[in-house]
Amino acid sequence: MNPRQAAELSEGAQFCVPLPEGAGYAYGYIALARKGWGYLYDIHARIGVDETPPADIAAAPLALRNLLGSGGEFVAAPYNRQPWRLLGTQAAAIAPLVSPLFRVGSKVLDMRDGAPVSDASIALASLPYKEYPTDDEHSYRVAACLLGCEYAFDEARAGYVLLR
């Protein structure tokens, strides 16, 4: 997929995530698409052996909800050697948004319409940032969540590693 195609992802599109270090595949769908400035991804709590999701994947609970991304996760690049792949199918149902709010610097915006939100009770630290990974960090984040471990950037390897 090229960057132009990645900017045209649609809500409900199902995808698979090749997990790093040969850990298998995760499956999810695009929960919200705001072309040009971001996507929210939902990832099921299930690891598979190939790109084909299990038949009952829609019944699997969600391990990650509303993961903020740019679409770059689907683009092959030197810093993203295992891009996520669209499956050509649509999710049967999209879970309600956990929170449509995200942060750009010190501003809070509603992802549904991009409108600023002024509410002093919002815990800024709990909101996703509009600072997208420019590498395969999301793949490591998904793998760590599903495998019950942590991940970190390894300076010596100039890349992320799973800490199992």
Side-chain angles (χ1 to χ4, degrees), residues 6-74:
E8 295 298 319
L9 299 172
S10 62
E11 289 174 12
Q14 292 182 303
F15 57 84
C16 70
V17 179
L19 299 176
E21 302 178 16
Y25 290 81
Y27 311 96
Y29 59 86
I30 298 168
L32 184 69
R34 289 298 170 255
K35 294 169 175 62
W37 54 276
Y39 300 91
L40 295 180
Y41 306 124
D42 284 352
I43 310 289
H44 292 284
R46 177 73 71 75
I47 296 177
V49 296
D50 60 27
E51 292 183 11
T52 306
D56 63 346
I57 193 65
L62 296 173
L64 284 169
R65 297 195 59 200
N66 301 163
L67 178 64
L68 181 63
S70 66
E73 298 85 2
F74 295 91

Side-chain angles (χ1 to χ4, degrees), residues 63-123:
L64 284 169
R65 297 195 59 200
N66 301 163
L67 178 64
L68 181 63
S70 66
E73 298 85 2
F74 295 91
V75 178
Y79 49 80
N80 190 25
R81 291 186 179 95
Q82 292 185 302
W84 297 10
R85 298 179 185 114
L86 289 176
L87 298 175
T89 55
Q90 290 290 116
I94 297 174
L97 296 178
V98 173
S99 171
L101 304 180
F102 70 99
R103 207 167 66 162
V104 177
S106 62
K107 293 181 182 177
V108 175
L109 301 175
D110 187 323
M111 187 134 178
R112 291 174 292 210
D113 57 13
V117 176
S118 298
D119 183 346
S121 69
I122 296 172

